């Protein structure tokens, strides 16, 4: 089966963690579309950023970053996780995780731009941070990511060394470039997400 077909199948199977939230109208690549927040034509111009008062791995902001990343909106995932990184406690493992994910998102952008040297640089920095989290005692990062931070580090470096054979796409169309997806390894939505879906369903029935 060709790579394009595999990517299409992979996109269909990618789970949404915040399915009620619509994706941006385009996946931003620098210099190719209006800047999302600075340009009046940007997809997030004058919109309120979704900031979470809860700096945790089941916050809406973290889950939104997972959705964006898994579906190929790498610049947007970077922005979502940067909001968490900025307010996380300095020196905390959680802050290290967010920074690693930010750099991994930047790797995705550079792969899509065809800039392999920059992609390898970002992937290497992401991997170094993720490996610092290998000995997290409660395995919370592994549960949230669906793999250990060390495994994610390996995936990041491999993707940068051998970038995906990207196919031409319409301008602004997202395109996943990694052969893995991120998300809770249990296969079930986090409790808060389940509760949110129950509320939405009840409102629709009223």
């Amino acid at each position: 089966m060709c790579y394009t077909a595999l990517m299409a199948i992979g996109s269909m199977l990618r789970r949404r963690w915040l399915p009620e939230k619509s994706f941006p109208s385009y996946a931003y690549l620098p210099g190719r579309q209006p800047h999302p927040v600075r340009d009046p034509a940007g997809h997030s111009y004058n919109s309120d950023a979704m900031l979470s008062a809860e700096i945790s791995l089941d916050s809406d902001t973290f889950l939104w970053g997972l959705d964006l990343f898994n579906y190929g909106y790498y610049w947007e995932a970077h922005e979502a996780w940067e909001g968490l990184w900025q307010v996380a406690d300095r020196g905390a493992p959680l802050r290290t995780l967010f920074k690693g994910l930010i750099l991994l998102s930047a790797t995705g952008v550079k792969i899509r731009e065809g800039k392999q040297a920059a992609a390898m640089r970002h992937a290497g920095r992401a991997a170094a941070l993720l490996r610092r989290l290998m000995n997290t005692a409660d395995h919370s990062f592994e549960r949230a990511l669906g793999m250990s931070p060390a495994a994610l580090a390996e995936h990041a470096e491999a993707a940068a060394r051998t970038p995906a054979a990207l196919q031409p796409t319409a301008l602004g169309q997202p395109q996943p470039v990694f052969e893995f997806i991120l998300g809770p390894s249990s296969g079930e939505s986090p409790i808060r997400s389940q509760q949110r879906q129950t509320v939405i369903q009840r409102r629709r029935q009223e």
Side-chain angles (χ1 to χ4, degrees):
M1 185 178 293
C2 72
Y3 180 84
T4 304
L6 285 171
M7 292 302 292
I9 292 171
S11 293
M12 288 188 289
L13 296 177
R14 292 167 194 264
R15 185 163 189 166
R16 288 292 310 274
W17 302 107
L18 289 183
E20 70 277 13
K21 189 170 176 61
S22 298
F23 281 128
S25 57
Y26 58 86
Y28 177 64
L29 289 177
R32 302 187 192 181
Q33 297 98 16
H35 190 280
V37 296
R38 294 200 296 263
D39 192 308
H43 65 56
S44 297
Y45 184 73
N46 273 347
S47 66
D48 294 329
M50 188 176 72
L51 296 178
S52 176
E54 180 186 2
I55 311 304
S56 72
L57 297 177
D58 66 351
S59 68
D60 282 357
T61 307
F62 181 75
L63 297 176
W64 179 228
L66 292 179
D67 276 348
L68 291 165
F69 183 91
N70 289 336
Y71 278 81
Y73 293 85
Y74 298 114
W75 187 91
E76 291 79 5
H78 174 294
E79 289 294 293
W81 285 326
E82 186 167 10
L84 293 173
W85 172 77
Q86 288 176 343
V87 294
D89 292 338
R90 291 186 179 276
L94 200 55
R95 184 179 172 93
T96 300
L97 175 67
F98 294 146
K99 186 63 175 179
L101 292 174
I102 288 168
L103 289 166
L104 186 58
S105 299
T107 302
V109 171
K110 295 306 178 185
I111 291 174
R112 288 208 65 193
E113 290 182 304
K115 299 179 178 179
Q116 187 175 3
M120 292 182 66
R121 184 170 62 253
H122 288 308
R125 293 175 61 201
L129 290 170
L130 291 166
R131 289 192 175 102
R132 287 167 52 185
L133 304 172
M134 290 172 56
N135 298 320
T136 304
D138 63 0
H139 301 288
S140 59
F141 295 160
E142 183 171 350
R143 289 194 297 270
L145 298 172
M147 68 183 79
S148 69
L152 182 55
E154 294 293 331
H155 282 304
E157 291 175 328
R161 284 195 303 268
T162 310
L166 301 180
Q167 302 298 318
T169 61
L171 184 64
Q173 180 178 335
Q175 187 174 21
V177 301
F178 299 110
E179 294 183 355
F180 60 86
I181 58 174
L182 299 177
S185 56
S186 66
E188 298 294 334
S189 297
I191 293 175
R192 294 180 68 249
S193 183
Q194 291 177 342
Q195 293 173 338
R196 180 171 45 247
Q197 288 303 305
T198 300
V199 171
I200 291 173
Q201 291 173 359
R202 287 175 178 173
R203 289 176 178 173
R204 289 174 177 172
Q205 293 170 357
E206 292 177 352

